Amino acid sequence: MLGRILSTAGIEFRIALRNRWVAVGAAMMILFSLVLSAAGAGGNGLAADPLSVTVASLVSLAVYLVPLIALLISFDAVAGEAERGTLPLHLTYPLSRSELLLGKLLAQLAVVVLAVVAGYAAAAAMAFLSGGSAATAGLSALWRLTWTSALLGAAFLSLGHAMSCVARRASGAAALAIGLWLVMIVLYDLGLLAAIITDDGGSFTTQVFPWALVLNPADAFRIFNLAASEAVDAASGLAGAANSIAAWKPLASLLLWPVLAAVLARLSFGRVQP
């Protein structure tokens, strides 16, 4: 079983290389990371080390860019195969649907991790160049940001697979993926902000709001990373929320979302008729 999954992952990764998804993802992460690092280099008056300040900026970048890259890579995983007529061929192989989906997930996760590591490494290099040995204090924050970015990417890759199964056409899957990104990354926070303003310090703000943040994987990712950052006060308006929520809650959300999303994708794939 493991051999079949890894063999599928190897084929899918070579397809990603041929389609230049690795280069495109890495270029996006490096470009935006360097821009944020250059902007954060002006914060010399902060008590935190240069790398921690850079990591705090990278958290905001990753919340938007990692889910977007994951959805762009995964939206046609099933719909594209069905449209090209290759899905029936795949299903005739001695390979279960779960193994096929896991193989695609591993290959696409490797693409996301490569892009993330390239971007973060470029930003860290700039932090060391500007801050010298003081930047070593932020290495633990950078490592935490890297593995949580992989979890966030895995969750949105599987959500992209689920959208691909539901749409069954690549164009429809693309529309669903972009709509999902808008709702979960942009509109969700705007809705919470509007609810807080309307609630004016009531029960929603004190009891529902912290859980609403934890339930969204992007917000859980941001809170978990910012709560442990020395530069949290300078990084985001979520500083108060990040400090008031126990660290295990966003961590549990980050660990559960990839599993739940993978189960949802598998259930959706089971309904697809080649």
Side-chain angles (χ1 to χ4, degrees), residues 158-233:
S158 287
L159 289 175
H161 291 167
M163 297 297 101
S164 190
C165 295
V166 171
R168 302 185 184 184
R169 296 183 66 86
S171 56
L176 285 177
I178 295 300
L180 180 71
W181 182 83
L182 281 174
V183 170
M184 294 190 69
I185 306 301
V186 180
L187 298 180
Y188 189 85
D189 286 348
L190 291 177
L192 289 181
L193 180 61
I196 289 175
I197 294 173
T198 305
D199 186 53
D200 194 21
S203 58
F204 176 85
T205 304
T206 57
Q207 298 179 19
V208 179
F209 177 65
W211 285 105
L213 284 177
V214 170
L215 289 176
N216 186 317
D219 285 329
F221 166 83
R222 180 158 40 194
I223 290 171
F224 179 72
N225 281 285
L226 290 181
S229 172
E230 295 179 7
V232 63
D233 291 335

Side-chain angles (χ1 to χ4, degrees), residues 76-196:
D76 72 340
V78 175
E81 298 272 10
E83 215 166 52
R84 291 188 292 271
T86 52
L87 183 60
L89 180 63
H90 282 302
L91 296 180
T92 60
Y93 296 153
L95 184 74
S96 71
R97 293 192 179 210
S98 298
E99 292 166 351
L100 177 60
L101 216 51
L102 277 174
K104 287 179 176 289
L105 176 62
L106 285 179
Q108 292 165 354
L109 183 59
V111 174
V112 172
V113 169
L114 282 175
V116 162
V117 169
Y120 293 172
M126 182 170 282
F128 273 98
L129 285 175
S130 63
S133 59
T136 55
L139 285 176
S140 61
L142 183 65
W143 167 241
R144 182 173 53 250
L145 177 65
T146 303
W147 64 263
T148 52
S149 295
L151 289 175
L152 183 65
F156 277 89
L157 284 170
S158 287
L159 289 175
H161 291 167
M163 297 297 101
S164 190
C165 295
V166 171
R168 302 185 184 184
R169 296 183 66 86
S171 56
L176 285 177
I178 295 300
L180 180 71
W181 182 83
L182 281 174
V183 170
M184 294 190 69
I185 306 301
V186 180
L187 298 180
Y188 189 85
D189 286 348
L190 291 177
L192 289 181
L193 180 61
I196 289 175

